[in-house]
Each structure stands twice: as structure tokens, then as C-alpha cells.
Amino acid sequence: MGVDTNIRYSDKDLAEFKELIQEKIKKAEHDLELIKSAYMNDLNNGTDDTSPTFKAFEEGSETMSKEANSQLAIRQEKFIRDLKNAIIRIENKTYGICRVTGKLISKERLKLVPHATLSIEAKNMQK
């Protein structure tokens, strides 16, 4: 039994991380909804304005915001996917183990980046 705890986080730790990640998923999904509704509003409000000069001026920034919004949405969706994968790793009890070194990723790092799959050590090796 003693050996096992060296290569993985305890069930208690995993439960804490799971809670933290579920909170983050909830918030991330909420943020994604906001991004998407802003994006939808952009599409709907695009043609409402009657003033042609204002319209021309707006068009540049509108394209930007649609572009930026879809980028944001894509990033947000990836973030949510990463968090959900982290939940799966918690359930498999492989969470928090660096996929390169096989060592535990520090709790501090996981609290900041709960979906991390690399330890700082492994991350630095990639540079």
C-alpha cells in the first residue's frame, strides 16, 4: 500500500482536485455561453444600423470581434475538454502524474493549471 501513494495522489487529494475542476468546468461553460451569445448578438445586430457612415466604421471592428470571439470560443471549448479529460484521469487515478517523467506534478502547479499533464520539469525539457 505504501508504495502506491508515491506514484499517485491520495483519494482525498483527488476528490479535492475533482471539486476544483468541476467548479472550473462550470465557470468555463458559463463563460463559453457568454462568448457564444455575444457572437450571436454580433450576427443579429450587424444589419440593424441604418447610418451608412457608422456602418462602414463599425464593419472593421465587427469583423475583428467575430474573429476574436470565435477564437475565444475555440480556446474555451478546448479548455473545457482538457478539464473534462482531467476528471477522467481523476477517476482512473492517473491524475497529476506527469506523462513524460511519470512523477507527480506539484499540487501548486495543479491548482493553477488543473488540467496539466506535464510537470514543470518536463515542460522545461520541451523548450
Side-chain angles (χ1 to χ4, degrees):
M1 195 58 210
V3 181
D4 192 11
T5 51
N6 293 338
I7 44 175
R8 76 172 186 87
Y9 279 110
S10 70
D11 291 350
K12 182 177 167 296
D13 284 336
L14 290 177
E16 279 172 27
F17 281 124
K18 187 172 189 174
E19 221 166 277
L20 177 87
I21 291 168
Q22 281 170 332
E23 272 308 297
K24 283 200 184 280
I25 290 174
K26 221 179 291 172
K27 187 186 176 323
E29 284 177 337
H30 176 72
D31 291 348
L32 182 60
E33 283 311 304
L34 291 179
I35 294 166
K36 282 187 170 165
S37 69
Y39 182 71
M40 292 318 288
N41 287 342
D42 277 355
L43 295 179
N44 300 340
N45 301 344
T47 50
D48 293 348
D49 212 294
T50 45
S51 154
T53 45
F54 182 69
K55 187 88 190 89
F57 173 72
E58 273 287 271
E59 227 135 58
S61 65
E62 212 170 273
T63 339
M64 259 314 289
S65 76
K66 280 182 194 155
E67 197 55 31
N69 253 345
S70 67
Q71 282 306 311
L72 265 180
I74 290 165
R75 253 206 316 273
Q76 200 63 12
E77 280 167 353
K78 182 185 182 308
F79 180 54
I80 293 168
R81 199 169 52 240
D82 289 346
L83 289 171
K84 287 184 172 166
N85 288 338
I87 296 275
I88 294 168
R89 290 195 299 280
I90 288 175
E91 284 159 3
N92 299 339
K93 302 195 188 308
T94 58
Y95 178 78
I97 299 165
C98 174
R99 63 169 202 256
V100 172
T101 65
K103 294 179 192 156
L104 281 184
I105 300 169
S106 77
K107 277 189 180 173
E108 290 67 41
R109 173 158 168 70
L110 289 170
K111 284 204 170 101
L112 290 172
V113 189
H115 55 287
T117 57
L118 292 174
S119 62
I120 292 290
E121 191 185 340
K123 215 169 162 51
N124 290 338
M125 288 194 287
Q126 287 184 327
K127 286 180 184 161

